[in-house]
Amino acid sequence: MISSAFRDYSSPKAVAYGNRVAEWVKAHHAELGVQYIIYHQRIWNVQRNNEGWRRMPDRGSPTANHMDHVHVTTYGDAARPTALTPDADAGTAVTPVEHYTLSATFGQVGSWARYHTGLDFAAPIGTEVRAAEAGIITHAGYGNATTWAGQYITIKHADDTSTLYAHLSRIDVHQSQSVATGKPIGAVGVTGRSFGPHLHFEVYPEGVSPGDIYRAVDPKEWLERRGVQFED
């Protein structure tokens, strides 16, 4: 921690030191497998690299605001986005909801999430949810490990990536069932920790179990690499 190296972590010298550490990690994020960095109430992440450092809401204390330390979260070797879909075929996927409003993006920070780990498709309760890509259902229902998700479905795909569909009002598939791309699997709802009807959609690379949320990767990027075009 910066507070262990400097008597006053808020001094100009300490802040400059913290900035140097954060910038060094950012500059070497690829070889280190860095997903995101937080320092001095600012966040930078790989998926939104072009936006640079972004201000975060006040969390109420210097440590919670990462004023006295540099926080680094890594993907781990199996979960780096560069290895996610190198051979993905364009045109193999669809959005999990056909007509929607994107209400929250991957990496977004707000009062409802310190780091949003998926993509939110806002739509009325009961709107059809479909498999984003062909695969095998690996979970369908409630789960103790991911109570925030309410009723949810996970699908494992041919390249061993997995997708997760959360807050469902209805589930129309069962575990071990094969599904084709675009097959209806359930309906939008508000089960679990939800602030309005939407589908929370996550993507997990090979080797990462669905629900290990801080190793999830950007669903929008994953879908776009498979030929999906998003509504304006």
Side-chain angles (χ1 to χ4, degrees), residues 135-141 152-155 171-179 183-186:
I136 304 294
I137 304 295
T138 52
H139 177 89
Y152 70 97
I153 292 168
T154 57
I155 302 175
I171 289 177
D172 299 330
V173 291
H174 57 81
Q175 191 165 336
S176 301
Q177 179 179 342
S178 296
V179 292
K183 177 180 173 59
I185 58 174

Side-chain angles (χ1 to χ4, degrees), residues 158-176:
D159 62 355
D160 283 332
T161 60
S162 294
T163 49
L164 183 148
Y165 310 72
H167 308 311
L168 301 175
S169 62
R170 188 183 74 245
I171 289 177
D172 299 330
V173 291
H174 57 81
Q175 191 165 336
S176 301

Side-chain angles (χ1 to χ4, degrees), residues 75 139 144 181 187 228:
Y75 285 103
H139 177 89
N144 293 332
T181 300
V228 170

Side-chain angles (χ1 to χ4, degrees), residues 3-231:
S3 56
S4 64
F6 294 89
R7 183 173 298 176
D8 179 6
Y9 64 81
S10 63
S11 70
K13 185 177 289 188
V15 173
Y17 175 80
N19 282 328
R20 286 199 302 273
V21 171
E23 289 295 339
W24 185 91
V25 175
K26 178 174 175 283
H28 295 82
H29 72 270
E31 60 261 45
L32 296 173
V34 172
Q35 182 179 15
Y36 65 91
I37 309 163
I38 305 175
Y39 176 58
H40 223 257
Q41 210 173 327
R42 299 174 304 145
I43 185 170
W44 172 89
N45 69 298
V46 171
Q47 285 76 16
R48 298 172 67 179
N49 180 32
N50 62 331
E51 298 178 44
W53 292 92
R54 307 189 309 279
R55 190 74 175 171
M56 297 179 66
D58 185 1
R59 296 180 179 176
S61 74
T63 298
N65 285 328
H66 304 277
M67 309 295 276
D68 56 2
H69 68 283
V70 177
H71 174 95
V72 179
T73 291
T74 61
Y75 285 103
D77 289 340
R80 298 188 189 192
T82 53
L84 176 59
T85 55
D87 300 315
D89 295 324
T92 63
V94 296
T95 55
V97 177
E98 186 173 6
H99 300 295
Y100 57 86
T101 298
L102 287 181
S103 55
T105 56
F106 183 81
Q108 190 170 335
V109 175
S111 59
W112 40 268
R114 63 178 182 177
Y115 185 86
H116 194 240
T117 56
L119 195 61
D120 285 356
F121 295 81
I125 292 176
T127 299
E128 181 181 277
V129 173
R130 54 191 184 173
E133 192 173 59
I136 304 294
I137 304 295
T138 52
H139 177 89
Y142 286 93
N144 293 332
T146 50
T147 55
W148 60 268
Q151 288 199 101
Y152 70 97
I153 292 168
T154 57
I155 302 175
K156 176 164 279 193
H157 305 288
D159 62 355
D160 283 332
T161 60
S162 294
T163 49
L164 183 148
Y165 310 72
H167 308 311
L168 301 175
S169 62
R170 188 183 74 245
I171 289 177
D172 299 330
V173 291
H174 57 81
Q175 191 165 336
S176 301
Q177 179 179 342
S178 296
V179 292
T181 300
K183 177 180 173 59
I185 58 174
V188 170
V190 289
T191 59
R193 193 167 69 243
S194 174
F195 299 92
H198 70 282
L199 172 74
H200 176 83
F201 177 68
E202 294 184 342
V203 175
Y204 293 88
E206 179 183 2
V208 179
S209 299
D212 189 356
I213 58 174
Y214 292 112
R215 298 178 71 189
V217 295
D218 190 347
K220 192 169 188 288
E221 179 182 290
W222 185 84
L223 288 166
E224 287 175 337
R225 294 187 67 170
R226 285 160 166 76
V228 170
Q229 295 184 339
F230 284 82
E231 296 179 357

